[in-house]
Amino acid sequence: MWKLKIGEGANDPYLFSLNNFVGRQIWEFDPEAGTPEERAEVEAARQNFYNNRFKVRPSSDLLWRFQFLREKKFKQTIPPVKIEDGEEISYEKATAAVRRAVSFWSVLQSDHGHWPAENAGPIAFYFPPLVMSLYVTGHLNTVFHAEHRREILRYIYYHQNEDGGWGLHIEGHSTMIGTVLNYVCMRLLGEGPDGGLDNACERGRKWILDHGGAIKTASWGKTWLAIIGCYEWAGSHPMPPEFWDFPSFMSPAQMFCYCRLTYMPMSYLYGRKFVGPITPLIKQIREEIYNEPYDQISWWRVRHLCAPEDAHYPHTRLQTLMWDTLYFGTEPLLNRWPFKKIRDIAIRKTMEHIHYEDENSRYITIGCVEKPLMMLACWVEDPHGEAFKKHLSRVADYVWVGEDGIKMQSFGSQVWDCGLSLQAVLASDLIDEFGPVLKKGHEFLKESQIDRNPSGDLKKMYRHISKGAWAFSDKDHGWQVSDCTAESLKCCLLFAMMPPEIVGQKMEPEKLYDAVNVILSLQSKNGGMSAWEPSGAGSWLEWLNPVEFLEDLVIEYEYVECTSSSILALLLFRKLHPGHRKKEIDKFIVNATQFILDIQKPDGSWYGNWGICFIYGTWFALVALEAVGKTYENCEAVRRGVEFLLNTQLEDGGWGESYLSCPTKSYKPLGHTNLIHTSLAMMGLIHAGQVERDPTPIHRGAKILINAQLDDGDFPQQELMGVFMRNCMLHYSAYRNIFPTWALAEYRRLVPLPSKGH
């Protein structure tokens, strides 16, 4: 059986940690583990997912939950409650629902204080490149043993669309990049051309050929196919490593960090025109994914081709002109003496940046897209080098096992989920019952705060300060994130106001000051908060976006979620530490508030950048506006936000929004109730004062949540809730517990309820 292990790594000579691997979570397979009953439970979960895979696409993330519930011998002792039609919700029933939710979620807290959870994303370009990278280096079967390979294939099979293709993400329509990369992945993992569950390979290949063949895959797909030898670099757009020496108006420092750190190793591999070993299997795949013989393809003519299914953000004429200029003019020059010396210098400098990023993330790298690229670049430079060995030891950080198989984590959401979970527990006002949960979570956050900046010359290496911040996952990851910092800071400040014998010793003031410093450093001129690094680059750079399936990728932006979280954290900090940088904080809050007001949509909503979508963004906005004194009575923006939420409530009393809102940037109803959206809308209305006007919409939403709660206190898994770059959806499996628990807790605490005891 598979087992999740927390904090492992101290015995690996190629692993290094800043805090003894606090929050690190890896999976191991033990063939001897598990009773027959436990194994049967896992198999039943797998079969149930398979049978219902087209009804609910994301997994319920059951394997680690089974393990933790079993290890902690959990049994729900609070009887379930139901609200009948026409029945008023009593305080007692609301309390029972909250206690059941908190008791269930609390038992799933790890010994380190965080909540493990799946944080997986696009099926198209997350795991297949990792398999390709390991195949090229010759380490595929040593890093992924037979049980790994079986579960990787399971995930691919279980998320194949009915038309035979694979989408960008597991709820999306089939795409060429998703289908080509998953087809190749299956073949590299040992499936024959007609193998796989439900004829997965044959159906996938048919989809590819019926839609024009792999020559129409998006640019990232072409890059990976070129790396493994199933495509030619001559059919790719240039990615010159010389870019890292460009002048200031197009400096890499202007780029969004994920874009920069994806194209950095890509440019290294492109500059070297690296191609892996051409094995018999690679030759077979070449003949399977094109509609014409491989050696007869005119590669330069297919450079601009992209299947319409992939083209969310089609290339402009300006981009085409730029690519052609580089392809026909610059590239031939840089590959000839004496100009090749420029290319050689650029390649060396690019590798210096790659090593720098690896070392400052303990070889985790910034994320799962970058991990296989960085790792492969290190192998290409030195197949026996220490850097590559350190990379191999961190592959396990990205592997996650669910009942639907093995998938790749974005890089883990330990800190983010912990900060939100703690606030949900705090909102329950059941501190006496769940004090130990809060104390463990508090210790996890304190141990996870980043205590240093990246090494060396930050400006030269295109980096920003990180000392005092929190990352999305764990301390070793090392990348500051503004909303993770704000939510964690908020928790630590709330704990500072509570008895230390319950929640532990409060954080030292200097560490709080460091966190505030990071937050203040990330505010833009328009008042909004960026996520990772300061924004401010010209929006014209987006015209050069090279990725056909992602949007707003090239530069950093400001986000309502990050801005809201930062306002709330700094308001609380100012209350507890009124003498520290007061003028700066006052100015920050005024400008941040104005930013939120400025970006409201005509229908009264706010666009959510990291969650789906307008309901998510509106919750963040309304909570922040309430905190700065904006009310329904004195603020038109609040009134319009409330109107949006009331207008989108469904007949049954819930809310539900489609992921299509994200790419289309307009509200798209889901067609049925989603519990997370219902929770967010309820909390938005509560904080906008709807209780005083007419609490009926909130009561109706609460009834939905209470009646949906499962016997053990859990909530059912429904649709995906996360998103990035407008068009890629993410699965935050913890959200189905965090937000309904939080909403019911606030409902019980802030909404007057009839009670037998009053």
Side-chain angles (χ1 to χ4, degrees), residues 81-83 97 100 673-675 678 701-718 736 740 744:
V81 293
K82 297 294 178 185
I83 308 302
R100 295 177 75 247
T673 285
N674 176 284
L675 300 180
T678 300
K703 176 184 175 183
I704 290 283
L705 297 184
I706 293 171
N707 287 346
Q709 193 173 33
L710 303 178
D711 288 346
D712 59 2
D714 196 2
F715 292 90
Q717 180 62 53
Q718 294 176 292
R736 80 166 191 266
L744 286 173

Side-chain angles (χ1 to χ4, degrees), residues 315-367:
H315 287 163
T316 63
R317 291 182 179 179
L318 175 64
Q319 286 176 292
T320 301
L321 176 62
M322 180 187 71
W323 299 132
D324 286 347
T325 300
L326 291 171
Y327 187 91
F328 292 111
T330 308
E331 280 300 307
L333 198 64
L334 289 169
N335 283 286
R336 293 190 180 95
W337 187 90
F339 300 103
K340 193 175 184 302
K341 292 183 178 180
I342 299 174
R343 172 59 50 93
D344 293 341
I345 293 171
I347 287 173
R348 286 197 298 272
K349 181 169 183 177
T350 302
M351 202 64 218
E352 290 174 8
H353 280 279
I354 290 171
H355 286 312
Y356 177 87
E357 295 297 339
D358 286 344
E359 290 162 6
N360 279 283
S361 66
R362 275 51 64 186
Y363 289 82
I364 298 172
T365 76
I366 195 173

Side-chain angles (χ1 to χ4, degrees), residues 550-713:
L550 297 176
E551 188 176 352
D552 293 341
L553 174 76
V554 177
I555 63 174
E556 177 72 282
Y557 290 89
E558 300 82 21
Y559 311 103
V560 66
E561 303 98 318
C562 299
T563 308
S564 169
S565 296
S566 298
I567 288 173
L568 293 168
L570 290 182
L571 282 169
L572 186 54
F573 176 84
R574 186 176 66 181
K575 176 182 176 181
L576 299 181
H577 299 268
H580 185 77
R581 302 179 72 170
K582 183 177 185 304
K583 289 184 178 179
E584 293 174 74
I585 292 173
D586 290 348
K587 182 179 178 182
F588 178 103
I589 293 169
V590 169
N591 292 340
T593 302
Q594 189 59 51
F595 170 80
I596 291 177
L597 296 174
D598 290 342
I599 63 170
Q600 188 175 28
K601 300 297 180 182
D603 66 355
S605 67
W606 281 266
Y607 183 88
N609 299 272
W610 309 111
I612 302 171
C613 173
F614 291 98
I615 293 174
Y616 183 80
T618 301
W619 168 62
F620 273 99
L622 290 175
V623 170
L625 292 177
E626 179 207 32
V628 297
K630 304 290 184 183
T631 67
Y632 188 90
E633 288 72 28
N634 67 22
C635 180
E636 181 186 357
V638 173
R639 292 192 291 273
R640 291 170 56 214
V642 168
E643 183 180 2
F644 166 76
L645 292 177
L646 295 178
N647 287 342
T648 52
Q649 189 171 26
L650 302 174
E651 288 187 11
D652 67 357
W655 281 262
E657 184 176 359
S658 168
Y659 79 85
L660 293 172
S661 293
C662 303
T664 62
K665 301 180 187 177
S666 62
Y667 178 80
K668 304 293 182 187
L670 181 61
H672 60 263
T673 285
N674 176 284
L675 300 180
I676 298 172
H677 286 132
T678 300
S679 304
L680 296 169
M682 281 176 58
M683 290 192 287
L685 290 173
I686 288 170
H687 287 279
Q690 185 64 28
V691 174
E692 290 74 29
R693 293 182 298 278
D694 176 13
T696 303
I698 302 172
H699 290 312
R700 296 176 68 214
K703 176 184 175 183
I704 290 283
L705 297 184
I706 293 171
N707 287 346
Q709 193 173 33
L710 303 178
D711 288 346
D712 59 2

Side-chain angles (χ1 to χ4, degrees), residues 720-735:
L720 296 172
M721 266 303 300
V723 63
F724 68 96
M725 301 302 104
R726 310 287 186 250
N727 198 38
C728 281
M729 307 306 133
L730 294 166
H731 180 27
Y732 288 83
S733 68
Y735 279 10

Side-chain angles (χ1 to χ4, degrees), residues 61-98:
D61 205 12
L62 292 176
L63 268 61
W64 76 271
R65 292 172 180 238
F66 287 164
Q67 175 189 329
F68 276 37
L69 293 172
R70 184 171 61 248
E71 290 173 348
K72 299 182 182 183
K73 298 180 173 59
F74 173 76
K75 186 174 183 180
Q76 182 62 263
T77 59
I78 306 167
V81 293
K82 297 294 178 185
I83 308 302
E84 303 298 333
D85 289 345
E87 178 187 358
E88 287 187 316
I89 303 174
S90 69
Y91 182 80
E92 288 78 8
K93 284 195 171 183
T95 299
V98 171

